Amino acid sequence: MTTSENKTPTNFIRQIIDADLEAGKNAGRVHTRFPPEPNGYLHIGHAKSIVLNFGIAQDYPGGQCNLRFDDTNPHKENIEFVESIQQDVRWLGFDWEDRLFYSSDYFQQLYDFAVELIKADKAYVCDLNAEQMRDYRGTLKEPGRPSPYRDRSVEENLELFARMKAGEFADGERVLRAKIDMASPNMNMRDPTLYRIRHGVVHHQTGEDWCLYPMYDFTHPISDALEGVTHSLCTLEFEDHRPLYDWVLNNITIPCHPQQIEFSRLNLEFTVMSKRKLTQLVAEGHVEGWDDPRMPSIAGLRRRGYTAASIRDFCHRIGVTKSDNKVEMGVLENCIREDLDKNAPRRLAVMHPLKLVLENYPEGKSEELEAANHPKDESMGSRTIRFTREIYIDQADFRESANKKYKRLVSGGEVRLRNAYVIKCEEVIKNNQGEIVELRCSYDPETLGKNPEGRKVRGVVHWVSAEYGVKAEVRLYDRLFSKANPDQVEEGGVFTDSLNPDSLRTLTDCYIEPALAKAAPGERFQFEREGYFCLDRQDASAERPVFNRIVTLRDSWAKIEQQGKT
Ligand code: ATP
Ligand code: MG
């Protein structure tokens, strides 16, 4: 399997398509669709389905993929979600061209197909209420019992169904059911509901035209067939619905019969993926909104600084199979790390500033130093940084004393300032509480771009000019949950119990090099020795720029850092 971004790895679904093409099925056409319900923002699980469906359309000659809103549940859906979904699919790099559809586009046709089923005595109006219906339905061990309304005449069914549509009955008073098999071992085949009544909701597409709404299991196969879809890809929980998908298409007059193929959902450690739970996180204020950078939503990942390419790469790496599993967060993090290691310009930023004065550097003097934007890619050019008598380094880069393993600055010791000179710590200034507030140092003017004579200086630390540096806020994000599987809840608990209280740490007094102050919202950088960051979407009233930490530096770097601390 290849992991390169441009070449999509094959999978069992592509193999089925290959075989279908070989056998001359579907007149050589390949047509998929991505069918979100607009009841929330898209998440990284949806990205798996998008990359699969649109990826197939891209890779097969003449392939097409539709975007279809599965909008049969109006009370949970709205136009904000419809719009965000389109934005996210586009941002991920995919195009449905002129094939944007809504299941609600087909409400009249669906109704007509339901009438066709009634006329063939394959559907009936049932007056049982929800509880009775459950009772009649039986269990996995026991067959169901036929509804007392199962043998209504075709004429009576036609009349009642027309009156349901006309709004004569209340919600829940009557439903339309398929007449299949109450003894089927597959519960989905025990006369499933096809239509229910919903008054008083304004549908975002059809307004108040309908009070009768078709169920997913009826809508989906017909929408697929009407659009000429050849392969209808869905997640594994629909496997038991496939006989119903086929039953619907086999019992109406429609020339197309797409093939439903199921694959396993993406589950990610340390987060939740169900839209119900994500909605709850937003509604209860555990996060800032759907685009909170800790959310697994596409909007959240985008704001966090993930690139579309890194998400596509991730979807390729996890592959498409039928086996359920949970993917480690590290797999996703590695995708963005690899992307940014290659593509993000390097900058200097100090998170926990400690003032450092170079006593032998003239007051008022400043130098423009050349700093490469990328250590391995000259084509990314360079920028100038300002060197001055007063600078900031990170508090973590100084210790009064330490053993030889500590490669940073100690009292009386030397260290190189990144892209600049070697300095030596001459004196440590403390406040009344004994806290270090300033370092008095000297610099060696002979060490710009070359090693000092006769001695070795191993450590390099980053810094920002106190005079030219710009104050910034930095948000350090961590996993949203502290448990790998937040869906597993202790008895009497709720999934929000395992929210990570430290998922956001805000540093308000950071210093960034001036070049960073000109960044555009969403622009990504490596802050040397700190990690990858992007400028948050800029609020015009914000006093200072806000940077989101996308991801920490490589794990191997973390290990080196760890050793340095011992
Ligand atoms: P939820 O259960 O969280 O509400 P859903 O499956 O109902 O999710 P839809 O909007 O209906 O969400 O999903 C649109 C498409 O995306 C479907 O084809 C669905 O199978 C797929 N999808 C949703 N979640 C995942 C996931 N975690 N992994 C892979 N595909 C997914
Ligand atoms: Mg759904």
Side-chain angles (χ1 to χ4, degrees):
M1 192 208 274
T2 167
T3 56
S4 110
E5 216 271 303
N6 299 321
K7 205 156 171 299
T8 314
T10 189
N11 55 49
F12 80 97
I13 294 177
R14 285 171 180 253
Q15 284 160 5
I16 291 172
I17 295 174
D18 292 339
D20 286 350
L21 288 174
E22 186 95 349
K25 255 175 107 175
N26 305 311
R29 287 188 318 111
V30 177
H31 200 149
T32 55
R33 84 288 170 267
F34 172 63
E37 181 179 358
N39 61 352
Y41 279 61
L42 296 182
H43 52 59
I44 182 82
H46 292 112
K48 173 176 179 174
S49 175
I50 292 167
V51 168
L52 174 65
N53 280 293
F54 282 96
I56 285 170
Q58 271 177 356
D59 291 346
Y60 286 88
Q64 296 190 319
C65 180
N66 300 354
L67 175 61
R68 183 201 316 138
F69 288 104
D70 163 28
D71 58 347
T72 56
N73 223 345
H75 67 286
K76 284 195 201 151
E77 299 163 3
N78 69 50
I79 203 75
E80 176 194 350
F81 298 141
V82 167
E83 282 164 4
S84 75
I85 288 170
Q86 295 183 52
Q87 188 192 357
D88 290 349
V89 174
R90 277 211 191 89
W91 179 77
L92 279 171
F94 299 104
D95 185 5
W96 52 88
E97 297 167 329
D98 58 351
R99 295 178 313 279
L100 171 63
F101 301 115
Y102 296 84
S103 295
S104 56
D105 295 342
Y106 314 128
F107 278 175
Q108 184 59 48
Q109 282 154 292
L110 288 159
Y111 181 84
D112 295 339
F113 283 122
V115 168
E116 182 183 346
L117 285 178
I118 295 172
K119 285 184 177 159
D121 199 19
K122 287 172 180 164
Y124 62 98
V125 173
C126 181
D127 302 0
L128 294 179
N129 63 32
E131 197 184 320
Q132 294 167 320
M133 204 130 96
R134 250 194 313 277
D135 184 42
Y136 273 83
R137 203 161 169 241
T139 64
L140 282 174
K141 290 195 189 107
E142 275 175 47
R145 287 171 289 137
S147 157
Y149 305 98
R150 199 173 200 261
D151 292 322
R152 274 182 162 145
S153 69
V154 167
E155 289 67 36
E156 191 184 358
N157 281 320
L158 284 174
E159 189 215 314
L160 286 172
F161 191 51
R163 289 172 60 195
M164 282 167 66
K165 176 172 185 270
E168 288 188 30
F169 308 114
D171 287 14
E173 204 178 327
R174 291 194 157 93
V175 296
L176 184 76
R177 299 175 70 174
K179 194 186 270 193
I180 309 180
D181 179 5
M182 288 308 291
S184 171
N186 183 339
M187 301 283 282
N188 296 302
M189 300 299 272
R190 294 186 188 172
D191 291 11
T193 300
L194 303 180
Y195 269 91
R196 61 192 195 283
I197 298 169
R198 282 272 181 284
H199 285 288
V201 274
V202 181
H203 188 286
H204 49 97
Q205 301 301 317
T206 58
E208 290 173 294
D209 293 353
W210 294 84
C211 64
L212 196 58
Y213 286 96
M215 302 297 287
Y216 174 89
D217 281 329
F218 182 65
T219 310
H220 208 77
I222 296 175
S223 305
D224 282 346
L226 289 171
E227 292 174 14
V229 165
T230 55
H231 298 85
S232 176
L233 315 180
C234 62
T235 39
L236 275 179
E237 69 272 23
F238 291 102
E239 196 163 28
D240 289 345
H241 296 238
R242 193 190 330 137
L244 180 52
Y245 184 101
D246 290 329
W247 183 92
V248 169
L249 296 179
N250 287 335
N251 286 283
I252 59 175
T253 312
I254 200 159
C256 174
H257 193 135
Q259 179 182 2
Q260 176 178 309
I261 307 169
E262 310 84 17
F263 63 96
S264 63
R265 295 177 88 82
L266 166 67
N267 298 302
L268 251 193
E269 285 186 345
F270 295 99
T271 192
V272 293
M273 210 79 92
S274 112
K275 271 189 274 185
R276 185 180 60 75
K277 288 180 180 165
L278 295 175
T279 305
Q280 193 180 334
L281 290 176
V282 174
E284 292 178 1
H286 299 290
V287 293
E288 225 183 82
W290 281 98
D291 72 345
D292 187 298
R294 293 164 292 180
M295 289 280 273
S297 56
I298 303 298
L301 291 166
R302 175 168 61 231
R303 187 171 159 205
R304 173 82 167 254
Y306 273 78
T307 59
S310 70
I311 294 175
R312 293 194 300 267
D313 181 26
F314 170 72
C315 294
H316 291 160
R317 289 191 202 194
I318 56 172
V320 178
T321 68
K322 271 187 177 290
S323 56
D324 254 319
N325 65 345
K326 240 186 179 357
V327 175
E328 284 174 31
M329 196 58 111
V331 179
L332 180 61
E333 289 171 348
N334 270 331
C335 291
I336 186 63
R337 236 182 234 127
E338 280 180 28
D339 180 341
L340 296 178
D341 179 41
K342 238 186 281 154
N343 300 312
R346 274 43 173 177
R347 292 288 183 267
L348 300 180
V350 173
M351 308 281 120
H352 305 94
L354 171 60
K355 188 171 236 184
L356 191 155
V357 181
L358 299 164
E359 292 183 304
N360 61 339
Y361 196 89
E363 264 177 73
K365 176 177 172 176
S366 86
E367 277 171 276
E368 289 193 343
L369 305 178
E370 202 65 6
N373 287 332
H374 196 287
K376 286 180 236 143
D377 185 353
E378 269 183 41
S379 75
M380 288 177 72
S382 63
R383 81 271 183 206
T384 53
I385 49 177
R386 290 283 197 148
F387 193 72
T388 50
R389 179 180 156 90
E390 297 195 0
I391 62 171
Y392 293 109
I393 65 165
D394 200 283
Q395 289 165 18
D397 285 334
F398 175 76
R399 278 202 212 160
E400 287 197 86
S401 61
N403 66 24
K404 286 216 174 71
K405 281 189 190 157
Y406 186 76
K407 300 275 169 10
R408 296 171 258 173
L409 191 59
V410 294
S411 270
E414 283 186 305
V415 81
R416 175 175 290 282
L417 296 174
R418 182 82 174 125
N419 301 310
Y421 299 94
V422 170
I423 59 163
K424 181 175 182 190
C425 177
E426 310 285 357
E427 190 188 348
V428 181
I429 315 279
K430 296 183 182 172
N431 64 13
N432 294 339
Q433 281 89 54
E435 295 159 347
I436 301 169
V437 291
E438 191 178 303
L439 301 178
R440 295 262 151 181
C441 300
S442 60
Y443 87 110
D444 181 345
E446 300 306 314
T447 54
L448 188 61
K450 53 178 193 270
N451 286 325
E453 300 258 322
R455 58 198 205 278
K456 221 170 178 176
V457 177
R458 308 254 293 283
V460 180
V461 302
H462 58 286
W463 58 278
V464 169
S465 158
E467 193 178 334
Y468 292 96
V470 176
K471 259 203 173 180
E473 177 174 319
V474 169
R475 298 184 185 154
L476 303 177
Y477 296 105
D478 203 345
R479 293 165 180 184
L480 187 50
F481 289 87
S482 24
K483 264 177 38 184
N485 187 0
D487 293 313
Q488 256 167 23
V489 172
E490 316 256 308
E491 234 189 87
V494 287
F495 81 98
T496 48
D497 292 343
S498 59
L499 277 164
N500 174 9
D502 299 319
S503 60
L504 169 59
R505 270 193 305 141
T506 304
L507 309 176
T508 49
D509 294 310
C510 307
Y511 281 91
I512 57 176
E513 65 168 277
L516 280 170
K518 294 187 215 102
E523 219 182 324
R524 308 168 183 90
F525 304 92
Q526 184 194 93
F527 290 179
E528 293 201 36
R529 303 181 64 235
E530 292 290 357
Y532 296 98
F533 293 79
C534 88
L535 187 64
D536 197 31
R537 56 171 157 71
Q538 218 54 351
D539 180 345
S541 67
E543 265 176 47
R544 50 185 73 162
V546 173
F547 283 89
N548 296 319
R549 183 170 71 195
I550 307 167
V551 69
T552 53
L553 292 172
R554 274 199 311 278
D555 291 344
S556 57
W557 176 261
K559 254 183 236 146
I560 292 164
E561 286 285 292
Q562 213 53 47
Q563 283 164 5
K565 279 176 191 148
T566 54

